[in-house]
Amino acid sequence: MKIVIIGAGSPYSPEIVKELSVRRDRLLVREIALHDIDAPRLQIIFDFLVRYARTLNMTHVRFTAHTDWHQALSGADYVITQYRVGGNKARIKDERIPIKHGFIGQETTGPGGMMKALRTIPVALSLAKAMESHCPRAMLINYTNPAGMIAEALSTYASIRSVGLCAGGIRPAQETARVTGCAEEAVRYDYFGLNHMNFAYNITINGGPLPDDTLQKVLESRWDEATPQWIRACGLFPSSYIQYYFRTGRMFDTMQAAPETRGERAQALEKVILDAYADPARDQPPPELQLRGGGGYSQVAVGLLQAIQNNEDKWMVCNVPNRGAVSCLPNDAVIEAGCLVNGAGIVPLPQPKFPKQVWGLVCAVKNYEQLAVEAAVTGDRDIALAALVAHPLVRDADRASPLLEEMLEANRAYLPQFFEEG
């Protein structure tokens, strides 16, 4: 196989290579093409990966580095995306400007998440068009956030095979395994919602339901996301991002009082990690990588790749079109759901009894997402405003208009579709 990593300057690229080495007996990789528009950063990761591959006994794999994705994509079998349009500088604006207007400032949720989508979706569609020319049979495995909205744009406006992934889908299994000592692979659950707006329930081990006391111990790890009383009453294991919806006041106060945003902390940490990668004597990832967050995504991405490549039936949480799996959402809407994955494709499993406590919120967020995707493609400011007002964390049309104008202007360099001069 030839695998292409778009956004390979990410500190996480070595994690993909490590996971491929773990599965080398099942996945025969001949080339890993690294692409990034930041040439110095790409060179640092390329040089480190060549050293790291030797320690992983991956010397049979050829690494190549490209700043032009047309060169990288030729002959690819799988394309993994993990880029950040505008870098952490744009993320910091996504976090700071909404707070100034009295709203949650977060990189994938609320107004900040919408700006990230407006910047990122045109790039995703441009990449899909390039894949149509250079590797039309390849599959795009997207990890770039907001993953669900990018998956929706690709499924609506592109013809390539694609899927959206997020490590959040394995968190219920990881926590259940930690509490009970079972293997993660033995854990299953129903899973309702969207990327960063989801709930796991009916958790089982080897097909058997968890005893009530064990379930409560599993759910305790989510008490920060909503009140313990609410979580106990519903029996739902929520995404960590639910705290922005269910504890909005507390989260806003915390963000407003913080001396720096999460993006600023991530930016400083990434410098430390990249400096470590640049050390020619280093052939292992630095310990600081574990502080960056987002762990587990290589396990999910390469696990999906293996299931498809080898036609192995695998249950996974993926972002794919609904196709009737959830009756309260449109069939073409991308959902995050438990799916059957194998060589034939990715099929979402039916969810006939989704939780009544949250389906309205999920539908509202999907309404916002579909409007935001349309705005990203068309550059229509009226649709962008409609999307922002539809978001449960905004709603206020009086305050949404000036917020939108300031955020569009702050992102002008990355939003040619919204400005006449292109």
Side-chain angles (χ1 to χ4, degrees):
M1 290 182 298
K2 176 180 177 179
I3 297 172
V4 179
I5 303 175
I6 303 293
S10 163
Y12 293 122
S13 292
E15 294 294 290
I16 297 174
V17 175
K18 180 181 179 181
E19 191 66 28
L20 288 168
S21 76
V22 171
R23 301 171 189 257
R24 67 166 64 89
D25 60 329
R26 303 290 299 169
L27 293 171
L28 302 178
V29 181
R30 61 178 171 83
E31 179 181 351
I32 298 177
L34 309 173
H35 168 271
D36 205 287
I37 62 173
D38 186 331
R41 187 164 170 153
L42 175 63
Q43 189 65 50
I44 289 172
I45 297 296
F46 173 82
D47 291 342
F48 173 78
L49 285 178
V50 171
R51 298 192 300 270
Y52 191 35
R54 287 196 291 265
T55 72
L56 296 172
N57 194 25
M58 294 275 284
T59 54
H60 61 285
V61 178
R62 176 185 177 219
F63 290 89
T64 59
H66 311 266
T67 54
D68 181 342
W69 67 26
H70 294 281
Q71 296 174 359
L73 291 171
S74 180
D77 297 291
Y78 297 91
V79 178
I80 300 174
T81 52
Q82 53 180 24
Y83 53 90
R84 183 184 291 276
V85 178
N88 276 312
K89 289 182 179 179
R91 172 182 178 169
I92 293 166
K93 293 177 182 178
D94 292 345
E95 293 169 333
R96 286 208 173 275
I97 296 174
I99 292 173
K100 171 184 168 184
H101 289 260
F103 298 107
I104 291 288
Q106 211 279 326
E107 68 158 336
T108 67
T109 304
M114 177 168 145
M115 282 300 123
K116 194 170 198 293
L118 298 186
R119 291 193 303 269
T120 308
I121 286 171
V123 176
L125 295 178
S126 179
L127 173 63
K129 186 174 182 180
M131 288 177 62
E132 290 169 2
S133 298
H134 299 291
C135 50
R137 299 182 64 183
M139 167 165 274
L140 192 159
I141 300 173
N142 178 66
Y143 248 104
T144 297
N145 277 322
M149 296 170 73
I150 293 171
E152 178 123 2
L154 289 168
S155 71
T156 304
Y157 297 101
S159 62
I160 60 164
R161 295 189 300 155
S162 64
V163 62
L165 295 181
C166 178
I170 63 174
R171 301 299 181 226
Q174 290 176 329
E175 186 60 25
T176 302
R178 186 192 69 80
V179 169
T180 65
C182 74
E184 284 184 32
E185 294 75 18
V187 184
R188 291 288 182 275
Y189 32 87
D190 292 329
Y191 195 93
F192 172 69
L194 315 172
N195 181 235
H196 293 181
M197 163 51 65
N198 51 68
F199 305 86
Y201 56 106
N202 292 339
I203 301 174
T204 63
I205 298 177
N206 294 321
L210 296 184
D212 286 344
D213 59 338
T214 304
L215 174 61
Q216 293 306 319
K217 289 180 181 178
V218 171
L219 297 181
E220 282 179 12
S221 68
R222 296 284 124 165
W223 280 3
D224 282 343
E225 277 61 64
T227 65
Q229 294 88 343
W230 184 89
I231 290 177
R232 285 196 199 100
C234 298
L236 301 175
F237 187 103
S239 161
S240 62
Y241 290 82
I242 293 302
Q243 61 188 319
Y244 301 113
Y245 297 88
F246 289 174
R247 308 196 104 162
T248 309
R250 186 177 78 163
M251 293 307 300
F252 177 79
D253 291 344
T254 300
M255 289 175 168
Q256 189 178 45
E260 58 183 1
T261 69
R262 170 64 183 156
E264 288 166 322
R265 294 193 297 273
Q267 186 171 249
L269 186 57
E270 280 192 2
K271 184 181 185 307
V272 173
I273 296 169
L274 286 169
D275 286 347
Y277 283 146
D279 180 357
R282 177 175 287 279
D283 60 7
Q284 294 289 332
E288 289 83 1
L289 183 61
Q290 302 304 315
L291 302 176
R292 179 63 181 82
Y297 90 99
S298 57
Q299 171 189 337
V300 178
V302 179
L304 178 133
L305 193 156
Q306 177 180 319
I308 292 174
Q309 181 70 14
N310 297 336
N311 193 25
E312 300 171 358
D313 287 346
K314 185 174 179 62
W315 179 90
M316 295 187 67
V317 173
C318 303
N319 286 266
V320 292
N322 182 17
R323 300 174 190 162
V326 179
S327 61
C328 66
L329 292 170
N331 285 336
D332 62 347
V334 164
I335 60 173
E336 189 165 275
C339 298
L340 173 64
V341 181
N342 55 34
I346 305 170
V347 179
L349 302 175
Q351 301 178 42
K353 294 183 179 179
F354 45 84
K356 61 185 178 181
Q357 299 93 334
V358 294
W359 72 263
L361 177 60
V362 169
C363 290
V365 174
K366 175 48 66 177
N367 177 210
Y368 142 76
E369 287 189 352
Q370 291 195 315
L371 288 167
V373 169
E374 184 179 354
V377 173
T378 63
D380 189 315
R381 288 178 179 239
D382 291 340
I383 296 173
L385 179 60
L388 200 55
V389 175
H391 199 292
L393 291 178
V394 180
R395 294 294 187 196
D396 191 323
D398 289 323
R399 291 192 293 155
S401 292
L403 169 62
L404 176 64
E405 291 306 313
E406 182 171 351
M407 295 197 77
L408 288 176
E409 186 60 39
N411 287 275
R412 177 187 282 261
Y414 305 104
L415 300 177
Q417 70 271 41
F418 285 94
F419 295 91
E420 289 185 3
E421 67 270 22

